[in-house]
Amino acid sequence: MLNHIINTCQEKRVRLIAIGLLVIAWICLFLAIPSITITGDFYPVYHGARTLLAGNSPYSDAALRELQQLWPSPHAASGFPYPLPLAMVVAPLALLPVSAATIVWLLIGCVLAFSVVRLRADWPNAPLLPLLWMPLFDAVWSRQVTLVWFGLVVLLLLALRSRHAWVTGLCIALLPIKPQVGLLFALYGLVRGWNENRRVVGWAVAFGVLVWGGSLLIQPTWIADWLAVLPRYETVNNRASLFPWSLVLVAVTWHLPWPSRLAAAQVALFPLNAVYTPLPLLLVGMSMGNRLALICMAVSWLYLPFRDTGSAPLVYLTMIVPIMVGAYLDRRQKIAGARLSRAAPNLPAGD
């Protein structure tokens, strides 16, 4: 008994040291990797929200020219490539100075995204997993919308577990704004809500009318304006897709819980945009919940020396393929464990 307590304390100490070292490594990399501006990819969102608050369209040519003058990035030529509800959601932050708004944006995203460890409170090594997943670091470093929207996915899953109907409904209404991250999870939330708690559907409809219906009242032509911007976005951003071969990822994760299947489907169905695109696969590692998951997540850092190349094949090789291999081995381990359990003799219960 005493040896068990000592071993447990030693394991906790080693785990805390590992977490501390990983946090320090994150901070060092965050400071070492050069960034064009302090705002990163958040700036076009911030600019779009400020443009909307000024009573103008973030999709206009004037807004595009102003963005290109203020944001020294080649991606500025994309303009504001998001649905108008995103500008509405970010509008409160647009009232702040840009630096303060960026800090609040990052805090919201980090708090929500790192809450993923609460999905596996039974696994002691869960806090290590997010720190080992390079797409999460890249989403934080680039101040990406993907960071906050992955956080909304985590919030949706936690709200479904705790049966908070209004929070679930809010997430369902917001997640389609970034369909590459949240569309399938929004549908999942609706199905779960319909089957388990119909109030979720009511809240989702109410928030949906407020966000999506309100956007049409504010700017009735925004959908056509947004669709007109998308070809320009596709021209500026080189996106790669391995569909339908990427469906192998969905197949090898199908033995895992539904959130992991949906995360795999999100990554498989949508084009690869950047290093942060595979971020939802963190849910796959959480569902595996073993040392194999830690190894698969850690392998993603092999991409770091090639980060500036933007190589889609390397992203698949260092991030998606290890998850596929890990999920396949996890399935084999669980099948073998089930066979051993069935083959074990039925021993009589002790006194």
Side-chain angles (χ1 to χ4, degrees):
M1 181 67 178
L2 180 61
N3 288 335
H4 174 72
I5 295 174
I6 293 173
N7 291 334
T8 302
C9 291
Q10 289 177 341
E11 289 177 3
K12 288 182 178 179
R13 188 180 305 132
V14 170
R15 194 176 299 118
L16 287 173
I17 293 173
I19 292 172
L21 290 174
L22 286 171
V23 170
I24 292 172
W26 266 53
I27 295 172
C28 292
L29 284 171
F30 199 89
L31 297 175
I33 300 176
S35 177
I36 295 175
T37 63
I38 189 175
T39 60
D41 290 351
F42 174 62
Y43 191 81
V45 180
Y46 177 84
H47 180 265
R50 285 185 67 89
T51 302
L52 184 65
L53 287 176
N56 301 316
S57 170
Y59 307 107
S60 66
D61 292 338
L64 173 62
R65 289 192 297 270
E66 185 179 57
L67 177 63
Q68 289 176 309
Q69 292 172 1
L70 297 173
W71 189 42
S73 168
H75 297 289
S78 299
F80 182 75
Y82 304 100
L84 191 67
L86 180 60
M88 296 169 54
V89 171
V90 179
L93 292 184
L95 298 173
L96 300 173
V98 64
S99 298
T102 304
I103 292 172
V104 174
W105 176 258
L106 273 179
L107 286 175
I108 293 172
C110 288
V111 169
L112 291 176
F114 278 91
S115 295
V116 71
V117 300
R118 295 178 58 191
L119 296 173
R120 285 302 308 269
D122 60 318
W123 184 31
N125 288 324
L128 289 169
L129 211 60
L131 295 169
L132 289 172
W133 189 225
M134 186 182 172
L136 179 54
F137 169 82
D138 192 73
V140 174
W141 177 86
S142 58
R143 294 74 155 169
Q144 245 292 320
V145 175
T146 297
L147 171 68
V148 177
W149 253 248
F150 174 73
L152 286 177
V153 169
V154 175
L155 183 61
L156 170 74
L157 298 176
L158 292 173
L160 283 169
R161 175 187 291 182
S162 58
R163 299 183 66 84
H164 284 97
W166 75 268
V167 178
T168 306
L170 177 62
C171 293
I172 290 171
L174 294 179
L175 283 171
I177 294 175
K178 183 76 173 176
Q180 304 95 316
V181 181
L183 180 60
L184 297 182
F185 287 98
L187 296 174
Y188 171 73
L190 275 176
V191 173
R192 284 278 304 270
W194 182 264
N195 292 331
E196 300 173 11
N197 184 359
R198 298 287 173 87
R199 289 188 303 157
V200 167
V201 179
W203 280 110
V205 171
F207 282 120
V209 170
L210 180 65
V211 174
W212 295 91
S215 68
L216 291 172
L217 289 176
I218 293 172
Q219 189 177 325
T221 64
W222 78 260
I223 295 179
D225 297 338
W226 171 56
L227 292 175
V229 168
L230 291 183
R232 185 170 61 208
Y233 174 81
E234 295 291 342
T235 302
V236 175
N237 295 269
N238 296 319
R239 303 200 297 170
S241 175
L242 286 184
F243 185 83
W245 309 112
S246 55
L247 291 177
V248 176
L249 174 64
V250 181
V252 297
T253 56
W254 202 252
H255 69 287
L256 296 171
W258 268 106
S260 296
R261 301 178 193 177
L262 295 172
Q266 286 279 173
V267 175
L269 296 176
F270 289 91
L272 182 68
N273 198 39
V275 182
Y276 52 76
T277 305
L279 175 54
L281 294 181
L282 181 55
L283 294 173
V284 176
M286 281 291 170
S287 293
M288 290 166 59
N290 50 30
R291 292 182 179 179
L292 189 61
L294 296 174
I295 295 172
C296 293
M297 295 284 131
V299 170
S300 64
W301 287 94
L302 292 176
Y303 184 81
L304 184 61
F306 311 98
R307 188 178 179 280
D308 293 334
T309 66
S311 172
L314 282 176
V315 171
Y316 278 103
L317 186 62
T318 59
M319 299 178 194
I320 297 178
V321 170
I323 292 294
M324 293 168 61
V325 173
Y328 172 74
L329 293 177
D330 178 74
R331 180 174 180 273
R332 291 195 60 175
Q333 288 178 359
K334 289 175 178 175
I335 291 175
R339 287 175 178 171
L340 286 175
S341 298
R342 289 194 298 268
N346 294 321
L347 298 177
D351 294 332

